[in-house]
Amino acid sequence: RQSVCFHIVSDSMAERKKVLVIGGGFSGLLCARDLHKHFNVTVVDAKEFFEYTPGILRAYVKPGHFDALTFTVQSVLERKLHVKFLWGEVKTLDGENMTAQVKPMFATGGSLETLSFDYCLICSGCNFNPMAPKGESLWFPTVHEVGREVSEWPHLDERFIEGRRRHIIEEHYKLKGLNDQAATILVAGAGFIGVEWATELAHFFPRLKLHIIDFLPNCLGPLPKRAADYCSKAMDRMGIKQKYGVKYNPKEPQYWAALGMDKEPDL
């Protein structure tokens, strides 16, 4: 009976269509979870871990919080969902021939592995920092080769969870040093991230002199005005100086004075 059952399971697995999921973030893991009972699913990601991005700001001011935001994905995918995980970077995607060229993390001599698929889901997210050539920012780990080649922190390999942790700790101690100096910090952009970042800094590093600006007439533009006013009053209580209706234009004469600063901010 066991032999018959094994052959039935094996045949049904072999008949399943193959799904390639590029990216092991929110959407990639969700797709793997929902599809694994009906398809042979393979997830490819250039890093070994999942990171809960909405909570990452807290990790920079309180590094111990990083453990609550991350986990390595291989054991979750392979042991709990029975989904194959390949730690590597997709270098080319051929939709016509339905294949992907992947560079595994520990490939020797730059060798590539070819994966075939019936369906491919691109769940790799994006980097959106306009100030960096490849969109690099503190809010996302730098994991792809093209980004690592021009990274501002080339000594750190954030494809590893410990590399990401080291980066967060390094940035934390930079902030601690600025706090010790009672430095002036300007946060350009008073949207969701900007407001959260300014308030996190004010709470954990109370000696910082914090300013926040935005081109819109108030903070948190997409929210109702009552919500924006509530957040603005909260920042007032925390000593965060706010200026709205102004662009970030440091080359403009008397720009810092117009923002109520004596000099250019330290950061």
Side-chain angles (χ1 to χ4, degrees):
R1 182 181 299 174
Q2 290 179 346
S3 177
V4 172
C5 290
F6 174 78
H7 285 299
I8 292 174
V9 172
S10 299
D11 290 342
S12 63
M13 290 289 286
E15 293 170 0
R16 288 181 174 185
K17 298 287 188 180
K18 292 181 290 185
V19 174
L20 173 64
V21 179
I22 303 175
F26 287 105
S27 57
L29 294 183
L30 180 63
C31 290
R33 186 196 68 180
D34 287 352
L35 296 176
H36 80 279
K37 292 182 178 180
H38 307 286
F39 299 89
N40 290 334
V41 179
T42 299
V43 176
V44 178
D45 199 300
K47 63 186 188 302
E48 66 170 335
F49 60 96
F50 170 86
E51 179 176 289
Y52 182 72
T53 305
I56 202 63
L57 301 182
R58 174 60 61 89
Y60 282 107
V61 296
K62 185 182 179 182
H65 189 59
F66 182 68
D67 289 332
L69 305 174
T70 56
F71 58 85
T72 52
V73 297
Q74 183 170 9
S75 60
V76 173
L77 288 173
E78 296 190 350
R79 295 179 185 176
K80 294 188 176 181
L81 298 182
H82 305 292
V83 167
K84 182 180 178 181
F85 174 68
L86 178 58
W87 183 8
E89 181 176 347
V90 175
K91 305 301 289 184
T92 62
L93 191 62
D94 186 343
E96 184 176 348
N97 294 308
M98 304 175 78
T99 60
Q101 295 286 316
V102 180
K103 184 177 181 181
M105 179 63 186
F106 299 106
T108 57
S111 59
L112 301 178
E113 182 175 328
T114 301
L115 298 182
S116 61
F117 57 83
D118 297 296
Y119 304 99
C120 179
L121 303 176
I122 301 176
C123 306
S124 53
C126 66
N127 290 333
F128 50 78
N129 179 12
M131 305 294 185
K134 297 299 180 182
E136 182 177 62
S137 74
L138 295 174
W139 316 140
F140 303 96
T142 301
V143 298
H144 298 111
E145 283 187 332
V146 293
R148 296 175 62 238
E149 289 170 356
V150 294
S151 175
E152 293 186 26
W153 34 88
H155 61 294
L156 297 167
D157 192 342
E158 294 186 290
R159 296 174 297 178
F160 293 87
I161 193 170
E162 289 306 315
R164 180 64 166 157
R165 189 192 309 276
R166 281 185 56 197
H167 188 192
I168 288 170
I169 291 172
E170 282 190 10
E171 297 296 336
H172 173 78
Y173 277 102
K174 289 179 185 177
L175 292 171
K176 187 175 183 301
L178 290 168
N179 185 64
D180 293 340
Q181 301 166 24
T184 299
I185 307 294
L186 173 64
V187 177
F192 297 109
I193 295 177
V195 169
E196 181 183 354
W197 186 227
T199 53
E200 291 279 24
L201 291 174
H203 180 78
F204 285 92
F205 299 108
R207 296 191 64 202
L208 293 175
K209 301 180 181 70
L210 289 159
H211 296 251
I212 189 168
I213 64 171
D214 201 288
F215 181 62
L216 296 176
N218 52 262
C219 65
L220 301 175
L223 292 186
K225 190 175 185 303
R226 287 181 59 190
D229 290 343
Y230 176 88
C231 290
S232 183
K233 291 177 182 177
M235 287 192 285
D236 279 337
R237 291 194 298 269
M238 300 180 80
I240 301 170
K241 298 186 182 301
Q242 305 162 65
K243 189 79 171 179
Y244 299 111
V246 295
K247 291 183 178 180
Y248 178 68
N249 188 11
K251 295 182 180 180
E252 181 180 321
Q254 304 301 314
Y255 180 72
W256 305 119
L259 296 183
M261 299 182 184
D262 299 329
K263 59 181 180 65
E264 183 177 346
D266 299 291
L267 185 66

CSV table of all heavy atoms in Angstrom, one decimal, residues 167-220:
chain,number,residue,atom,x,y,z
A,167,HIS,N,25.2,46.2,9.0
A,167,HIS,CA,24.9,47.5,8.5
A,167,HIS,C,24.0,48.3,9.4
A,167,HIS,O,24.3,49.5,9.7
A,167,HIS,CB,24.2,47.3,7.1
A,167,HIS,CG,24.1,48.7,6.4
A,167,HIS,ND1,23.3,48.8,5.3
A,167,HIS,CD2,24.6,49.9,6.6
A,167,HIS,CE1,23.3,50.1,4.9
A,167,HIS,NE2,24.1,50.7,5.7
A,168,ILE,N,23.0,47.7,9.9
A,168,ILE,CA,22.1,48.4,10.8
A,168,ILE,C,22.8,48.8,12.1
A,168,ILE,O,22.6,49.9,12.6
A,168,ILE,CB,20.9,47.5,11.2
A,168,ILE,CG1,20.0,47.4,10.0
A,168,ILE,CG2,20.1,47.9,12.4
A,168,ILE,CD1,18.9,46.3,10.1
A,169,ILE,N,23.7,48.0,12.6
A,169,ILE,CA,24.5,48.4,13.8
A,169,ILE,C,25.4,49.5,13.5
A,169,ILE,O,25.5,50.4,14.3
A,169,ILE,CB,25.2,47.1,14.3
A,169,ILE,CG1,24.2,46.1,14.9
A,169,ILE,CG2,26.2,47.5,15.4
A,169,ILE,CD1,24.9,44.8,15.3
A,170,GLU,N,26.0,49.5,12.3
A,170,GLU,CA,26.9,50.6,12.0
A,170,GLU,C,26.2,51.9,11.9
A,170,GLU,O,26.6,52.9,12.4
A,170,GLU,CB,27.6,50.3,10.6
A,170,GLU,CG,28.7,49.3,10.7
A,170,GLU,CD,29.5,49.3,9.4
A,170,GLU,OE1,29.3,50.1,8.5
A,170,GLU,OE2,30.3,48.4,9.2
A,171,GLU,N,25.0,51.9,11.3
A,171,GLU,CA,24.2,53.1,11.1
A,171,GLU,C,23.7,53.6,12.5
A,171,GLU,O,23.7,54.8,12.8
A,171,GLU,CB,23.0,52.9,10.2
A,171,GLU,CG,23.4,52.6,8.8
A,171,GLU,CD,24.2,53.7,8.1
A,171,GLU,OE1,24.0,54.9,8.5
A,171,GLU,OE2,24.9,53.4,7.1
A,172,HIS,N,23.4,52.6,13.4
A,172,HIS,CA,23.0,53.0,14.7
A,172,HIS,C,24.0,53.7,15.5
A,172,HIS,O,23.7,54.8,16.1
A,172,HIS,CB,22.6,51.7,15.5
A,172,HIS,CG,22.3,52.0,16.9
A,172,HIS,ND1,21.1,52.5,17.4
A,172,HIS,CD2,23.0,51.8,18.1
A,172,HIS,CE1,21.1,52.6,18.7
A,172,HIS,NE2,22.3,52.2,19.1
A,173,TYR,N,25.3,53.3,15.4
A,173,TYR,CA,26.4,54.0,16.1
A,173,TYR,C,26.7,55.3,15.5
A,173,TYR,O,27.1,56.2,16.2
A,173,TYR,CB,27.6,53.1,16.2
A,173,TYR,CG,27.5,52.1,17.3
A,173,TYR,CD1,27.1,50.8,17.1
A,173,TYR,CD2,27.7,52.5,18.6
A,173,TYR,CE1,27.0,49.9,18.1
A,173,TYR,CE2,27.5,51.6,19.7
A,173,TYR,CZ,27.2,50.3,19.4
A,173,TYR,OH,27.1,49.4,20.5
A,174,LYS,N,26.4,55.5,14.2
A,174,LYS,CA,26.6,56.8,13.6
A,174,LYS,C,25.5,57.8,14.2
A,174,LYS,O,25.9,58.9,14.5
A,174,LYS,CB,26.4,56.7,12.1
A,174,LYS,CG,27.5,56.1,11.3
A,174,LYS,CD,27.2,56.0,9.8
A,174,LYS,CE,28.3,55.2,9.1
A,174,LYS,NZ,27.9,55.1,7.6
A,175,LEU,N,24.3,57.3,14.3
A,175,LEU,CA,23.3,58.1,14.9
A,175,LEU,C,23.6,58.4,16.4
A,175,LEU,O,23.4,59.6,16.8
A,175,LEU,CB,21.9,57.4,14.8
A,175,LEU,CG,21.3,57.2,13.4
A,175,LEU,CD1,20.1,56.3,13.4
A,175,LEU,CD2,20.9,58.6,12.8
A,176,LYS,N,24.1,57.5,17.1
A,176,LYS,CA,24.5,57.7,18.5
A,176,LYS,C,25.6,58.7,18.6
A,176,LYS,O,25.5,59.6,19.5
A,176,LYS,CB,25.0,56.4,19.1
A,176,LYS,CG,25.2,56.4,20.6
A,176,LYS,CD,25.6,55.1,21.1
A,176,LYS,CE,25.8,55.1,22.6
A,176,LYS,NZ,26.8,56.1,23.1
A,177,GLY,N,26.5,58.7,17.7
A,177,GLY,CA,27.6,59.8,17.7
A,177,GLY,C,27.0,61.1,17.4
A,177,GLY,O,27.4,62.1,18.0
A,178,LEU,N,26.1,61.2,16.5
A,178,LEU,CA,25.4,62.5,16.2
A,178,LEU,C,24.6,63.0,17.4
A,178,LEU,O,24.6,64.2,17.7
A,178,LEU,CB,24.5,62.4,14.9
A,178,LEU,CG,25.2,62.2,13.6
A,178,LEU,CD1,24.2,61.7,12.5
A,178,LEU,CD2,25.9,63.4,13.2
A,179,ASN,N,24.0,62.1,18.0
A,179,ASN,CA,23.2,62.4,19.2
A,179,ASN,C,24.1,63.0,20.3
A,179,ASN,O,23.8,64.0,21.0
A,179,ASN,CB,22.4,61.2,19.8
A,179,ASN,CG,21.5,61.6,20.9
A,179,ASN,OD1,20.6,62.3,20.8
A,179,ASN,ND2,21.8,61.0,22.1
A,180,ASP,N,25.3,62.4,20.5
A,180,ASP,CA,26.3,62.8,21.5
A,180,ASP,C,26.7,64.3,21.2
A,180,ASP,O,27.1,65.0,22.1
A,180,ASP,CB,27.5,61.9,21.6
A,180,ASP,CG,27.1,60.5,22.1
A,180,ASP,OD1,26.0,60.4,22.8
A,180,ASP,OD2,27.9,59.5,21.9
A,181,GLN,N,26.8,64.6,19.9
A,181,GLN,CA,27.2,65.9,19.4
A,181,GLN,C,26.1,66.9,19.4
A,181,GLN,O,26.3,68.1,19.1
A,181,GLN,CB,27.8,65.8,18.0
A,181,GLN,CG,29.0,64.9,17.9
A,181,GLN,CD,29.3,64.7,16.4
A,181,GLN,OE1,29.0,65.4,15.5
A,181,GLN,NE2,30.0,63.5,16.2
A,182,ALA,N,24.9,66.5,19.7
A,182,ALA,CA,23.7,67.3,19.6
A,182,ALA,C,23.6,67.9,18.2
A,182,ALA,O,23.3,69.1,18.0
A,182,ALA,CB,23.7,68.4,20.7
A,183,ALA,N,23.7,67.0,17.2
A,183,ALA,CA,23.8,67.5,15.8
A,183,ALA,C,22.4,67.9,15.3
A,183,ALA,O,21.4,67.5,15.9
A,183,ALA,CB,24.3,66.3,15.0
A,184,THR,N,22.5,68.6,14.2
A,184,THR,CA,21.2,69.1,13.5
A,184,THR,C,21.0,68.2,12.3
A,184,THR,O,21.8,67.9,11.5
A,184,THR,CB,21.4,70.5,13.0
A,184,THR,OG1,21.6,71.4,14.1
A,184,THR,CG2,20.1,71.0,12.3
A,185,ILE,N,19.7,67.6,12.3
A,185,ILE,CA,19.3,66.7,11.2
A,185,ILE,C,18.2,67.2,10.5
A,185,ILE,O,17.2,67.7,11.1
A,185,ILE,CB,18.9,65.3,11.9
A,185,ILE,CG1,20.0,64.8,12.8
A,185,ILE,CG2,18.6,64.3,10.8
A,185,ILE,CD1,21.3,64.4,12.1
A,186,LEU,N,18.2,67.2,9.1
A,186,LEU,CA,17.1,67.6,8.3
A,186,LEU,C,16.5,66.4,7.6
A,186,LEU,O,17.2,65.6,6.9
A,186,LEU,CB,17.6,68.6,7.2
A,186,LEU,CG,16.5,69.0,6.2
A,186,LEU,CD1,15.3,69.7,6.8
A,186,LEU,CD2,17.1,69.8,5.1
A,187,VAL,N,15.2,66.1,7.8
A,187,VAL,CA,14.5,65.1,7.1
A,187,VAL,C,13.7,65.7,6.0
A,187,VAL,O,12.8,66.6,6.2
A,187,VAL,CB,13.5,64.3,8.0
A,187,VAL,CG1,12.8,63.3,7.3
A,187,VAL,CG2,14.3,63.7,9.2
A,188,ALA,N,14.1,65.4,4.7
A,188,ALA,CA,13.5,66.0,3.5
A,188,ALA,C,12.3,65.1,3.1
A,188,ALA,O,12.6,64.0,2.6
A,188,ALA,CB,14.5,66.2,2.4
A,189,GLY,N,11.1,65.5,3.3
A,189,GLY,CA,10.0,64.7,2.9
A,189,GLY,C,9.2,64.3,4.2
A,189,GLY,O,9.7,63.6,5.0
A,190,ALA,N,8.0,64.8,4.3
A,190,ALA,CA,7.1,64.5,5.5
A,190,ALA,C,6.0,63.6,5.1
A,190,ALA,O,4.8,63.8,5.6
A,190,ALA,CB,6.6,65.9,6.0
A,191,GLY,N,6.3,62.6,4.3
A,191,GLY,CA,5.3,61.5,4.1
A,191,GLY,C,5.3,60.5,5.2
A,191,GLY,O,5.8,60.8,6.3
A,192,PHE,N,4.8,59.3,5.0
A,192,PHE,CA,4.8,58.3,6.0
A,192,PHE,C,6.2,58.0,6.6
A,192,PHE,O,6.4,57.9,7.8
A,192,PHE,CB,4.1,57.0,5.5
A,192,PHE,CG,2.7,57.2,5.0
A,192,PHE,CD1,2.3,57.2,3.7
A,192,PHE,CD2,1.7,57.4,6.0
A,192,PHE,CE1,1.0,57.4,3.3
A,192,PHE,CE2,0.4,57.5,5.6
A,192,PHE,CZ,0.0,57.5,4.3
A,193,ILE,N,7.1,57.7,5.7
A,193,ILE,CA,8.5,57.4,6.1
A,193,ILE,C,9.1,58.5,6.8
A,193,ILE,O,9.8,58.3,7.8
A,193,ILE,CB,9.3,56.9,4.9
A,193,ILE,CG1,8.7,55.6,4.3
A,193,ILE,CG2,10.7,56.6,5.3
A,193,ILE,CD1,9.4,55.1,3.1
A,194,GLY,N,9.0,59.7,6.2
A,194,GLY,CA,9.7,60.9,6.8
A,194,GLY,C,9.2,61.2,8.2
A,194,GLY,O,10.1,61.4,9.1
A,195,VAL,N,7.9,61.1,8.4
A,195,VAL,CA,7.4,61.4,9.7
A,195,VAL,C,7.8,60.3,10.7
A,195,VAL,O,8.2,60.6,11.9
A,195,VAL,CB,5.9,61.6,9.7
A,195,VAL,CG1,5.2,61.6,11.1
A,195,VAL,CG2,5.5,62.9,8.9
A,196,GLU,N,7.7,59.1,10.3
A,196,GLU,CA,8.1,58.0,11.2
A,196,GLU,C,9.5,58.1,11.6
A,196,GLU,O,9.9,57.9,12.7
A,196,GLU,CB,7.8,56.6,10.6
A,196,GLU,CG,8.1,55.5,11.5
A,196,GLU,CD,7.9,54.1,10.8
A,196,GLU,OE1,7.4,54.0,9.7
A,196,GLU,OE2,8.3,53.1,11.4
A,197,TRP,N,10.4,58.4,10.6
A,197,TRP,CA,11.8,58.5,10.8
A,197,TRP,C,12.1,59.6,11.8
A,197,TRP,O,12.9,59.4,12.7
A,197,TRP,CB,12.6,58.6,9.5
A,197,TRP,CG,14.0,58.6,9.5
A,197,TRP,CD1,14.9,59.5,8.9
A,197,TRP,CD2,14.9,57.6,10.2
A,197,TRP,NE1,16.2,59.1,9.1
A,197,TRP,CE2,16.2,58.0,9.9
A,197,TRP,CE3,14.6,56.5,10.9
A,197,TRP,CZ2,17.3,57.2,10.4
A,197,TRP,CZ3,15.7,55.7,11.4
A,197,TRP,CH2,17.0,56.1,11.1
A,198,ALA,N,11.5,60.8,11.6
A,198,ALA,CA,11.8,61.9,12.5
A,198,ALA,C,11.4,61.6,13.9
A,198,ALA,O,12.1,61.9,14.9
A,198,ALA,CB,11.1,63.1,11.9
A,199,THR,N,10.2,61.0,14.1
A,199,THR,CA,9.7,60.7,15.4
A,199,THR,C,10.5,59.6,16.1
A,199,THR,O,10.7,59.7,17.3
A,199,THR,CB,8.2,60.4,15.4
A,199,THR,OG1,8.0,59.3,14.4
A,199,THR,CG2,7.4,61.6,15.0
A,200,GLU,N,11.0,58.6,15.3
A,200,GLU,CA,11.8,57.6,15.9
A,200,GLU,C,13.1,58.2,16.4
A,200,GLU,O,13.6,57.9,17.5
A,200,GLU,CB,12.1,56.5,14.9
A,200,GLU,CG,10.9,55.6,14.5
A,200,GLU,CD,10.7,54.5,15.5
A,200,GLU,OE1,11.1,54.6,16.7
A,200,GLU,OE2,10.1,53.5,15.1
A,201,LEU,N,13.7,59.1,15.6
A,201,LEU,CA,15.0,59.7,16.0
A,201,LEU,C,14.8,60.6,17.2
A,201,LEU,O,15.6,60.6,18.2
A,201,LEU,CB,15.5,60.6,14.8
A,201,LEU,CG,16.0,59.8,13.6
A,201,LEU,CD1,16.4,60.8,12.5
A,201,LEU,CD2,17.3,59.0,14.0
A,202,ALA,N,13.7,61.3,17.3
A,202,ALA,CA,13.4,62.2,18.4
A,202,ALA,C,13.2,61.4,19.7
A,202,ALA,O,13.6,61.8,20.8
A,202,ALA,CB,12.2,63.0,18.1
A,203,HIS,N,12.6,60.2,19.6
A,203,HIS,CA,12.3,59.4,20.8
A,203,HIS,C,13.6,58.8,21.3
A,203,HIS,O,13.8,58.8,22.5
A,203,HIS,CB,11.3,58.4,20.5
A,203,HIS,CG,10.9,57.5,21.6
A,203,HIS,ND1,10.1,57.9,22.6
A,203,HIS,CD2,11.3,56.2,21.9
A,203,HIS,CE1,10.0,56.9,23.5
A,203,HIS,NE2,10.7,55.9,23.1
A,204,PHE,N,14.4,58.2,20.4
A,204,PHE,CA,15.5,57.4,20.9
A,204,PHE,C,16.8,58.3,21.0
A,204,PHE,O,17.7,57.9,21.7
A,204,PHE,CB,15.8,56.2,19.9
A,204,PHE,CG,14.8,55.1,20.1
A,204,PHE,CD1,13.6,55.1,19.4
A,204,PHE,CD2,15.0,54.1,21.0
A,204,PHE,CE1,12.7,54.0,19.5
A,204,PHE,CE2,14.1,53.1,21.2
A,204,PHE,CZ,12.9,53.0,20.5
A,205,PHE,N,16.9,59.4,20.3
A,205,PHE,CA,18.0,60.3,20.4
A,205,PHE,C,17.6,61.7,20.7
A,205,PHE,O,17.6,62.5,19.8
A,205,PHE,CB,18.8,60.2,19.1
A,205,PHE,CG,19.3,58.8,18.7
A,205,PHE,CD1,18.7,58.1,17.7
A,205,PHE,CD2,20.4,58.2,19.4
A,205,PHE,CE1,19.2,56.8,17.4
A,205,PHE,CE2,20.8,57.0,19.2
A,205,PHE,CZ,20.3,56.2,18.1
A,206,PRO,N,17.2,61.9,21.9
A,206,PRO,CA,16.6,63.2,22.3
A,206,PRO,C,17.5,64.5,22.1
A,206,PRO,O,16.9,65.6,22.1
A,206,PRO,CB,16.1,63.0,23.7
A,206,PRO,CG,17.0,61.9,24.2
A,206,PRO,CD,17.3,61.0,23.1
A,207,ARG,N,18.8,64.3,22.0
A,207,ARG,CA,19.6,65.5,21.9
A,207,ARG,C,19.7,66.0,20.5
A,207,ARG,O,20.2,67.1,20.2
A,207,ARG,CB,21.0,65.1,22.4
A,207,ARG,CG,21.1,64.8,23.9
A,207,ARG,CD,22.5,64.7,24.4
A,207,ARG,NE,23.2,66.1,24.3
A,207,ARG,CZ,24.5,66.3,24.2
A,207,ARG,NH1,25.3,65.2,24.2
A,207,ARG,NH2,25.0,67.5,24.2
A,208,LEU,N,19.2,65.2,19.5
A,208,LEU,CA,19.3,65.7,18.1
A,208,LEU,C,18.4,66.9,17.9
A,208,LEU,O,17.3,66.9,18.5
A,208,LEU,CB,18.8,64.5,17.2
A,208,LEU,CG,19.8,63.3,17.1
A,208,LEU,CD1,19.1,62.3,16.2
A,208,LEU,CD2,21.1,63.7,16.5
A,209,LYS,N,18.8,67.8,17.1
A,209,LYS,CA,18.0,69.0,16.7
A,209,LYS,C,17.4,68.6,15.3
A,209,LYS,O,18.0,68.6,14.3
A,209,LYS,CB,18.8,70.2,16.6
A,209,LYS,CG,19.5,70.6,17.9
A,209,LYS,CD,20.3,71.9,17.7
A,209,LYS,CE,21.0,72.3,19.0
A,209,LYS,NZ,22.2,71.4,19.3
A,210,LEU,N,16.1,68.3,15.4
A,210,LEU,CA,15.4,67.7,14.2
A,210,LEU,C,14.6,68.7,13.4
A,210,LEU,O,13.8,69.5,14.1
A,210,LEU,CB,14.6,66.5,14.6
A,210,LEU,CG,15.4,65.3,15.0
A,210,LEU,CD1,14.5,64.4,15.8
A,210,LEU,CD2,15.9,64.5,13.8
A,211,HIS,N,14.7,68.7,12.1
A,211,HIS,CA,13.9,69.5,11.2
A,211,HIS,C,13.3,68.6,10.2
A,211,HIS,O,13.9,67.7,9.7
A,211,HIS,CB,14.7,70.6,10.5
A,211,HIS,CG,15.3,71.6,11.5
A,211,HIS,ND1,14.9,72.9,11.6
A,211,HIS,CD2,16.3,71.5,12.4
A,211,HIS,CE1,15.6,73.6,12.5
A,211,HIS,NE2,16.5,72.7,13.0
A,212,ILE,N,12.0,68.9,9.8
A,212,ILE,CA,11.4,68.2,8.7
A,212,ILE,C,10.7,69.1,7.7
A,212,ILE,O,10.1,70.1,8.2
A,212,ILE,CB,10.4,67.1,9.2
A,212,ILE,CG1,9.9,66.2,8.1
A,212,ILE,CG2,9.3,67.8,9.9
A,212,ILE,CD1,9.2,64.9,8.6
A,213,ILE,N,10.9,68.9,6.4
A,213,ILE,CA,10.3,69.8,5.4
A,213,ILE,C,9.5,69.0,4.4
A,213,ILE,O,9.7,67.8,4.2
A,213,ILE,CB,11.4,70.6,4.7
A,213,ILE,CG1,12.3,69.7,3.9
A,213,ILE,CG2,12.1,71.5,5.7
A,213,ILE,CD1,13.3,70.4,3.0
A,214,ASP,N,8.6,69.7,3.7
A,214,ASP,CA,7.9,69.0,2.6
A,214,ASP,C,7.4,70.1,1.7
A,214,ASP,O,7.1,71.2,2.1
A,214,ASP,CB,6.7,68.2,3.1
A,214,ASP,CG,6.3,67.1,2.1
A,214,ASP,OD1,5.7,67.5,1.1
A,214,ASP,OD2,6.6,66.0,2.3
A,215,PHE,N,7.3,69.8,0.4
A,215,PHE,CA,6.8,70.7,-0.6
A,215,PHE,C,5.3,70.9,-0.5
A,215,PHE,O,4.7,71.9,-0.9
A,215,PHE,CB,7.1,70.2,-2.0
A,215,PHE,CG,6.6,71.1,-3.1
A,215,PHE,CD1,7.2,72.4,-3.3
A,215,PHE,CD2,5.7,70.7,-4.1
A,215,PHE,CE1,6.7,73.2,-4.3
A,215,PHE,CE2,5.3,71.5,-5.1
A,215,PHE,CZ,5.8,72.8,-5.2
A,216,LEU,N,4.6,69.9,0.1
A,216,LEU,CA,3.1,70.0,0.3
A,216,LEU,C,2.8,71.0,1.5
A,216,LEU,O,3.7,71.3,2.3
A,216,LEU,CB,2.5,68.7,0.6
A,216,LEU,CG,2.6,67.7,-0.6
A,216,LEU,CD1,2.1,66.3,-0.2
A,216,LEU,CD2,1.9,68.2,-1.8
A,217,PRO,N,1.6,71.4,1.6
A,217,PRO,CA,1.3,72.4,2.7
A,217,PRO,C,1.2,71.8,4.1
A,217,PRO,O,1.0,72.5,5.0
A,217,PRO,CB,-0.1,73.0,2.2
A,217,PRO,CG,-0.7,71.9,1.3
A,217,PRO,CD,0.5,71.3,0.6
A,218,ASN,N,1.2,70.5,4.1
A,218,ASN,CA,1.2,69.8,5.5
A,218,ASN,C,1.8,68.4,5.4
A,218,ASN,O,2.1,68.0,4.3
A,218,ASN,CB,-0.3,69.7,6.0
A,218,ASN,CG,-1.2,69.0,5.0
A,218,ASN,OD1,-1.9,69.7,4.2
A,218,ASN,ND2,-1.1,67.7,4.9
A,219,CYS,N,2.1,67.8,6.5
A,219,CYS,CA,2.7,66.5,6.5
A,219,CYS,C,1.6,65.4,6.1
A,219,CYS,O,0.4,65.7,6.1
A,219,CYS,CB,3.2,66.2,7.9
A,219,CYS,SG,2.0,66.0,9.2
A,220,LEU,N,2.1,64.3,5.8
A,220,LEU,CA,1.2,63.1,5.5
A,220,LEU,C,0.1,63.5,4.5
A,220,LEU,O,-1.1,63.3,4.7
A,220,LEU,CB,0.6,62.6,6.8
A,220,LEU,CG,1.6,62.1,7.8
A,220,LEU,CD1,0.9,61.7,9.1
A,220,LEU,CD2,2.4,60.9,7.3
